[in-house]
Amino acid sequence: MKKSVLTGIVLIALAAWAGYWYGNRHGPRPPAVAARSTADTLAIARQGAGIAADSLPSGAGSGKVITVTAGHSIQDAVLKAQPGDTVQIMPGRYSETVYIDKDGIALVGVIRGGDWPTLDGEGKRNDAVLYSGNGIRVENLKIVNYKGNAIMGQAGNNFVIRHNWIANAGVYGIFPEFAQNGLIEYNTLTGIEDAAIYVGMSDNIEVAHNEVHGNVAGIEAENSRHVIIEHNLAYDNAGGILTFITPGLPIKTAFDVVIRGNFVVANNHKNFGAPGSIVSGVPSGTGIIVMAADDVIIENNLIRDNKNAGIIVSDHKSFANITPDPESDPNPDRVQVLRNLFADNGTDPIKEIKALMLAALTREGPDLVAVGGGSGSCVADRDAIKWLGIGSWSSCSRTDTHDISTYLLDKPAPPRVLSAEDRGKLVYSSVCAGCHAYNVRMIGPPTQILQVLYAGNPQGIADYIAHPVKKRDDFPPMPPQAHLSSDLRLAVAKYMLSLK
Amino acid sequence: MRLRLPAWIYAALICAPAQAGSWRLSEQCPPSFEKRDSRCFLHSNYQQYASLTGAGVGGLKTGLPPLRDGFTPQQIDLGRYLFFDPVLSANGRLACVSCHVPSQGFSDHRVHSIGIDGRAVRRNAPSLWNAGFLKRFFWDGRAHSLEEQAQGPLYNAAEMGNRPEALLKTLNGIPAYRELFAQAFPAAGSAARAPIAAAQVYQALAAFEASLISLNSRYDFYAQGVADALTPHELEGLNIFRSFVARCAECHTPPLFTNQQIAVIGMPEPRGQPFDPGAGPPSGEPLLRGGFKVPSLRNAALTAPYGHGGQFATLRETVAFYTGGRGHAVPAGEHLQLHWHIWEPRLSPTELDRLVDFIGALTDQSFLPTPPAALPSGLPLPPESKRDGESS
C-alpha cells in the first residue's frame, strides 16, 4: 500500500519534470488566448444580466493569432493584424505606446505562473494603449508608469476592456471617449490622478466588477447616457463614484445612469488631482457624487465610512472649478436614491456641509446631501438615513431596478454599410472632384470628356488611376490612387461614367 | 487608342461668365457637392460614419457636424463674386478676400489684418475653410450664423467700414449685380425685379463660405484606412496629439479638429497689446473672461501667425505655449478660470516638433475656388485673389 503511494508520487514528480522539460524545450504551450471573442464577451455580459442567448450576435473569433514575446514590439504585431485577429502578448516587459486604428483587433495578454505581460511607460511614455477602431478588446495586461492614460479609446464602439491590472498609469486608467456599447469589467486600478475608470461622452456602457482604490476618483461617467456602474469595489479614493455633466464639452447631457450593488467604502484619500482639474474640486471623503446629471438611480450600494458624505447631489454652481455653459442644464433632475446601506458617513464634513448642518440644527454629517437646484428627485425611506437638503424630494415610487438588466445593445453598434455604388460616389465627391468638374475645366479634364473617352470601359479608368501616366501636355500629371482598393477604384469609375 | 478632342469642345464646355455680354451664374455645384432639386449637398467620406448625439466630434471614423448646405449653385456663385469684390467696402478697396486670402488658408499672414484706410483690426483673421460646419463665429464666438458673421466686417468701422444703406445703394446701382441677384434669388411669380436686399447679400456670402470644404488631407486618407498615408513622424505626432498628456484632441477634436467650444487657456497678448477679454463681455459670463473659440486646425500650416492676436509666428511656438506651464502667460492681476486641460504636460522639444509635423498633414486645398475672371462692379480683382503665391 505504502509502496504504491510512493511509486505514485515518484511517477507524478517524473511526469511533472517531463512536462517542465518539454515545456522548456518546446517553448510556451499553444495559444492560451481567451477563446471568447469581443462580441461574445459583450453578449455574455448581457446574458448574465438575464437576456436570452439566442437574441445575441454570434461573435466567432475566426481570425489569426499573432504572438508577441518580450523583446519584440506589440505595435508591429498590431500593424500586421487584420480585423478579427488576436495579438497574444506573452509574459515579460514591453515599453511602448500601442495604437490601434483598425477594427476588430484583440490585445490579449497571457499570464503564466503569476507573470504578466507588463507595459511599462517608465514614467516617460504618454499612453499605453490608444485605439480608434471598433470591436477592440484589451485583456490581461499589466500597465504601469505611464504619464497619460493606460487604455484610451476615441470613438471606438463595441469594446471590451477586462481583466487588466493598472497602477500609477497617469491621469486616467481606462478612458473610453465618444464610444457606444462597451464593457469594462474585472479590472483593478490604483494610483490614478483623476478617475481610474472614466467613461466620457459615451453611450451604452457597463462598468462592473472592478476594484478601484488609491485614486482621486474611482469611477466616473461624464456627459454619458445609458450607463450601468455595478458590483464594483471603490475604496480609499478621494471620491468613490461620480456622474457629472461637465460644462464646456461638445456633448452636453448625462442621463440614465444606474449605480447599484457597489461597495463604496472609506473614500478618504487626499485629493491629489492636478490644480485646475475638475476632479480636484471633489471633496475628499465622498462616496458618490451626482453633478447635474439627470435620471440617475442609486440602489443597493454599501456606502460606508466616507468622512465627508455618503452621497452628494449637486448643481454646477455649488461645485468648485466649474465654468458655466449655457448649453448645459446645470441642475440634477430626477435623481432616485433607492435603498442603500449607509453607515458611518459624514463624520468629518467640509465646511460648506457643516454650514448646512448648522442651518438644519444637526450635528450629524450626511449620508445624503443635495445642494443647489434640480427637481423631480426622490429618496426611499428617508427616515432611515441622515440627510440634508432633500426636504423637497418625494418618496420614490420605484423600489428597485430589476427591470433594467443591461444598457449594452442587443446588437453591436453597426458600422454604416454602404453599397459599392455609394462608396464610389463618396470617393468621387471627396477626392476626384477636386480636379475633375463635370463640364468645367479645372486641374484635370472635365468628367464629361472622360465619359466620352472611356464610354463602356470603367475598368480602363480603374486601371489608369492606380498608375496614371502623363498623357497630355495641357494638363498636369494625375497623382496615383493605388491606395484605393481595386473594387473601390472600379466603383468610382462606374460612378464617374454614370454622372449626369 | 485614345481620342484627342479638338479644342473647341473644351471651349464650349468652359463657363466664362465675364466674357459673355450678360452675366450668368454657374448652374454647377462646387466640387464635392451634389445637385439635388436644384440645390447643392455635400458628399464626404465622413458621411459613412456615425457621431454620438450628432455632435460631430470623436475619433478617426466619426461623422461630421451638420453642414449649412442646400444652397443653390447660383447663390454659391453669387457669393463668390461678392467675396472677391471690393465694392462691398466703403471705399471700394477692400474685399473679403483681402484678409481671407485663398492661398493663405483663407486667412492672411498678418498679426492683425489691415482694415479700411490702413486701420488695424483687433484680432487675427480666422480661416474660412470648413466654416459651414461651425455654429459660432468670431474668435469670441459672438455670432451664431454665417449671415450674422458677415455683417461684422462689412459694417465695422475699422474693417470694411460700410453701412447697410450705402452698401445696398451701391449694389442696386450696378446692373450686373441686379442681374446676378435676380438669378440667385428668383422671385416666384413676380415680373418686376425687386431691389437687392441686405439678407440676400449675407445669404450669398454664407453660401459661398459654406462651400469651402477641406476634408481631403493625408490625415483623412489615414483615417479612412490608408495605413501609409502618414509619415512615421506624422504618426508619432498623431499619437502625441491624441494622447492624454498633450490632450490636443480633447478640444481640437476630429474630424473638424475643433469641438467648437469656448475655452479659457491664458495665451499671451501680442507685445504691447492690452489684455483681450474675449468671450467674457459678449457672453455676459464673467468666468468666460479671456475665453476664445477653439479654432479648427485644418489647413493651419497655411495660416501663420497664430492665436487670437496673431501672437505666435509659427506653429512650433504655438504648440510650445501649451507646455509652458498652466497660466504662465496670464498677466498679473488677471484671475482667469483656466480650462482644465491646460496643465503641465512637459512635452519634449522632439514631441513639439512631431506635433507640428502632424498638423502639417491636415493640409488640403484641393477644393480651392476659382477667382472670378472679372467682377460685376468693374473694379479690379484684389491682388490677394490669386490662386497661388503670396499677395503683394
Side-chain angles (χ1 to χ4, degrees):
Chain A
M1 206 53 187
K2 250 188 181 164
K3 193 179 170 193
S4 68
V5 170
L6 200 66
T7 312
I9 289 170
V10 169
L11 279 177
I12 288 166
L14 263 175
W17 177 81
Y20 179 72
W21 177 84
Y22 184 86
N24 277 349
R25 282 283 290 234
H26 297 273
R29 273 156 281 187
V33 163
R36 212 169 267 164
S37 71
T38 308
D40 281 348
T41 311
L42 285 168
I44 287 162
R46 276 179 63 79
Q47 227 173 329
I51 301 295
D54 54 7
S55 69
L56 301 168
S58 81
S62 54
K64 288 197 310 291
V65 173
I66 303 174
T67 302
V68 186
T69 53
H72 295 89
S73 151
I74 303 169
Q75 186 63 46
D76 285 351
V78 168
L79 293 176
K80 277 184 215 128
Q82 296 298 314
D85 290 354
T86 298
V87 173
Q88 172 181 256
I89 306 165
M90 299 309 288
R93 205 165 140 278
Y94 301 83
S95 294
E96 57 183 307
T97 290
V98 179
Y99 62 93
I100 310 173
D101 289 328
K102 49 183 133 184
D103 295 342
I105 305 293
L107 279 191
V108 182
V110 174
I111 304 162
R112 279 284 169 267
D115 285 341
W116 286 61
T118 303
L119 274 75
D120 187 345
E122 299 173 316
K124 61 185 187 197
R125 282 182 190 79
N126 293 340
D127 307 284
V129 179
L130 287 168
Y131 67 85
S132 73
N134 296 322
I136 300 297
R137 178 160 55 109
V138 182
E139 185 165 353
N140 292 352
L141 297 181
K142 184 172 181 184
I143 300 176
V144 296
N145 300 328
Y146 281 82
K147 289 158 60 187
N149 296 335
I151 302 168
M152 180 179 196
Q154 286 164 340
N157 301 329
N158 311 318
F159 67 86
V160 170
I161 299 172
R162 68 187 304 275
H163 206 282
N164 299 290
W165 175 6
I166 295 169
N168 305 318
V171 186
Y172 293 93
I174 294 172
F175 183 126
E177 198 179 26
F178 305 115
Q180 187 170 28
N181 203 40
L183 175 66
I184 302 169
E185 63 170 11
Y186 299 106
N187 301 284
T188 178
L189 302 99
T190 191
I192 304 294
E193 281 171 45
D194 199 305
I197 297 174
Y198 169 96
V199 175
M201 294 187 266
S202 293
D203 288 273
N204 306 98
I205 308 291
E206 199 134 324
V207 182
H209 303 111
N210 300 283
E211 181 201 44
V212 287
H213 66 98
N215 311 292
V216 174
I219 298 169
E220 177 177 1
E222 185 180 73
N223 297 35
S224 294
R225 292 138 302 279
H226 317 298
V227 179
I228 295 182
I229 300 170
E230 63 182 359
H231 310 311
N232 300 284
L233 170 58
Y235 68 96
D236 192 30
N237 308 287
I241 298 176
L242 321 176
T243 184
F244 286 1
I245 291 179
T246 293
L249 293 175
I251 291 178
K252 305 288 182 186
T253 57
F255 54 84
D256 278 351
V257 180
V258 177
I259 301 173
R260 65 184 174 193
N262 300 286
F263 297 85
V264 184
V265 179
N267 289 290
N268 301 320
H269 200 290
K270 179 176 184 296
N271 187 326
F272 57 100
S277 65
I278 287 172
V279 84
S280 70
V282 167
S284 165
T286 310
I288 295 175
I289 304 179
V290 178
M291 179 178 72
D294 297 335
D295 300 295
V296 178
I297 305 179
I298 302 176
E299 183 209 6
N300 267 343
N301 300 284
L302 190 154
I303 305 170
R304 182 172 68 75
D305 199 20
N306 301 289
K307 69 179 167 51
N308 179 44
I311 300 174
I312 296 177
V313 178
S314 170
D315 64 2
H316 282 157
K317 279 202 307 290
S318 311
F319 209 85
N321 295 344
I322 295 291
T323 303
D325 177 347
E327 294 174 80
S328 287
D329 173 6
N331 296 319
D333 299 317
R334 298 175 305 282
V335 175
Q336 303 177 52
V337 179
L338 307 182
R339 302 253 183 179
N340 294 275
L341 190 155
F342 290 99
D344 285 336
N345 297 301
T347 51
D348 182 17
I350 57 171
K351 64 177 191 301
E352 290 84 352
I353 290 180
K354 279 190 180 137
L356 292 174
M357 288 159 58
L358 197 64
L361 305 174
T362 176
R363 300 171 117 177
E364 298 282 348
D367 292 320
L368 170 61
V369 54
V371 288
S375 65
S377 293
C378 72
V379 57
D381 198 7
R382 82 183 68 206
D383 296 341
I385 63 173
K386 302 178 292 174
W387 55 262
L388 288 168
I390 62 162
S392 66
W393 288 27
S394 63
S395 289
C396 295
S397 52
R398 176 189 275 280
T399 55
D400 57 57
T401 59
H402 289 162
D403 56 319
I404 304 169
S405 47
T406 184
Y407 280 141
L408 294 174
L409 299 178
D410 57 347
K411 290 192 197 113
R416 279 181 66 187
V417 180
L418 297 180
S419 66
E421 187 195 350
D422 284 344
R423 294 199 63 204
K425 185 172 173 178
L426 286 184
V427 170
Y428 176 84
S429 303
S430 298
V431 183
C432 314
C435 298
H436 303 279
Y438 183 64
N439 60 1
V440 181
R441 179 183 172 138
M442 289 173 68
I443 295 160
T447 299
Q448 211 173 35
I449 285 176
L450 298 171
Q451 288 176 342
V452 175
L453 294 174
Y454 287 92
N457 181 20
Q459 191 62 50
I461 296 182
D463 295 342
Y464 174 79
I465 65 178
H467 307 286
V469 286
K470 187 163 166 63
K471 283 185 189 278
R472 2 164 55 113
D473 294 336
D474 48 344
F475 288 102
M478 177 177 158
Q481 308 293 323
H483 54 270
L484 303 174
S485 69
S486 53
D487 294 357
L488 197 49
R489 291 199 308 271
L490 187 59
V492 175
K494 284 181 177 164
Y495 179 76
M496 206 163 178
L497 293 181
S498 73
L499 200 62
K500 289 190 192 94
Chain B
M1 193 67 190
R2 297 263 184 271
L3 294 169
R4 197 168 164 85
L5 298 184
W8 66 264
I9 292 192
Y10 285 114
L13 287 168
I14 293 165
C15 286
Q19 290 163 14
S22 74
W23 291 80
R24 292 294 313 165
L25 292 174
S26 172
E27 290 171 14
Q28 294 296 323
C29 293
S32 230
F33 286 80
E34 183 192 33
K35 196 157 135 187
R36 287 201 306 267
D37 302 331
S38 319
R39 293 172 184 276
C40 302
F41 295 91
L42 179 70
H43 274 294
S44 153
N45 270 320
Y46 285 100
Q47 284 164 341
Q48 53 192 312
Y49 311 119
S51 140
L52 285 188
T53 74
V57 282
L60 273 63
K61 290 183 175 158
T62 298
L64 293 157
L67 174 70
R68 279 291 306 278
D69 54 5
F71 295 103
T72 64
Q74 291 83 358
Q75 289 163 351
I76 295 170
D77 201 28
L78 172 60
R80 183 177 66 113
Y81 284 111
L82 293 169
F83 184 84
F84 284 89
D85 200 334
V87 80
L88 266 55
S89 61
N91 64 2
R93 291 187 182 169
L94 214 59
C96 306
V97 74
S98 306
C99 300
H100 299 286
V101 185
S103 64
Q104 298 173 15
F106 283 96
S107 173
D108 60 14
H109 285 171
R110 303 177 194 282
V111 171
H112 299 295
S113 298
I114 296 174
I116 195 161
D117 299 327
R119 294 178 64 175
V121 175
R122 185 172 187 199
R123 295 180 182 137
N124 186 250
S127 170
L128 302 184
W129 282 113
N130 300 323
F133 293 104
L134 303 183
K135 55 184 186 183
R136 287 192 174 96
F137 301 89
F138 297 117
W139 276 103
D140 55 19
R142 68 183 183 273
H144 294 87
S145 69
L146 283 165
E147 288 86 339
E148 192 186 343
Q149 184 278 331
Q151 298 168 57
L154 279 174
Y155 305 133
N156 185 315
E159 298 186 41
M160 297 166 87
N162 220 329
R163 286 175 299 107
E165 322 77 65
L167 174 64
L168 290 181
K169 194 173 166 207
T170 308
L171 291 176
N172 276 307
I174 300 170
Y177 269 124
R178 294 294 292 265
E179 169 64 34
L180 292 178
F181 273 80
Q183 289 172 30
F185 300 100
S190 155
R193 183 172 287 176
I196 295 167
Q200 294 171 337
V201 177
Y202 313 145
Q203 192 183 331
L205 285 168
F208 173 68
E209 291 177 71
S211 77
L212 303 173
I213 302 294
S214 172
L215 294 168
N216 209 6
S217 66
R218 284 185 302 107
Y219 160 81
D220 295 296
F221 281 86
Y222 181 79
Q224 318 294 337
V226 181
D228 56 1
L230 297 178
T231 67
H233 274 178
E234 289 162 350
L235 257 178
E236 224 178 289
L238 166 61
N239 285 334
I240 298 162
F241 186 86
R242 59 182 162 174
S243 81
F244 214 74
V245 175
R247 303 187 185 181
C248 314
E250 294 302 308
C251 293
H252 297 282
T253 321
L256 279 190
F257 290 83
T258 169
N259 67 1
Q260 305 206 44
Q261 305 300 303
I262 302 287
V264 184
I265 65 172
M267 275 195 174
E269 299 300 339
R271 198 194 311 250
Q273 293 292 314
F275 178 76
D276 186 339
S283 68
E285 174 52 64
L287 291 173
L288 288 181
R289 182 173 170 80
F292 294 94
K293 188 181 72 173
V294 175
S296 168
L297 301 185
R298 286 184 174 274
N299 282 328
L302 305 172
T303 64
Y306 302 98
H308 61 269
Q311 52 269 63
F312 299 117
T314 63
L315 273 177
R316 183 61 166 71
E317 285 175 42
T318 317
V319 293
F321 160 80
Y322 293 90
T323 204
R326 182 177 157 89
H328 70 276
V330 176
E334 279 291 344
H335 298 287
L336 303 182
Q337 181 142 314
L338 292 174
H339 197 278
W340 63 92
H341 284 317
I342 296 297
W343 73 314
E344 315 285 345
R346 298 192 185 90
L347 300 173
S348 70
T350 314
E351 287 182 306
L352 298 176
D353 289 343
R354 295 297 86 83
L355 284 173
V356 174
D357 292 339
F358 172 67
I359 293 167
L362 298 173
T363 301
D364 162 43
Q365 313 184 74
S366 49
F367 296 163
L368 206 57
T370 310
L375 295 173
S377 64
L379 292 171
L381 270 167
E384 295 84 1
S385 308
K386 282 180 293 186
R387 264 181 88 124
D388 45 6
E390 302 284 302
S391 64
S392 50

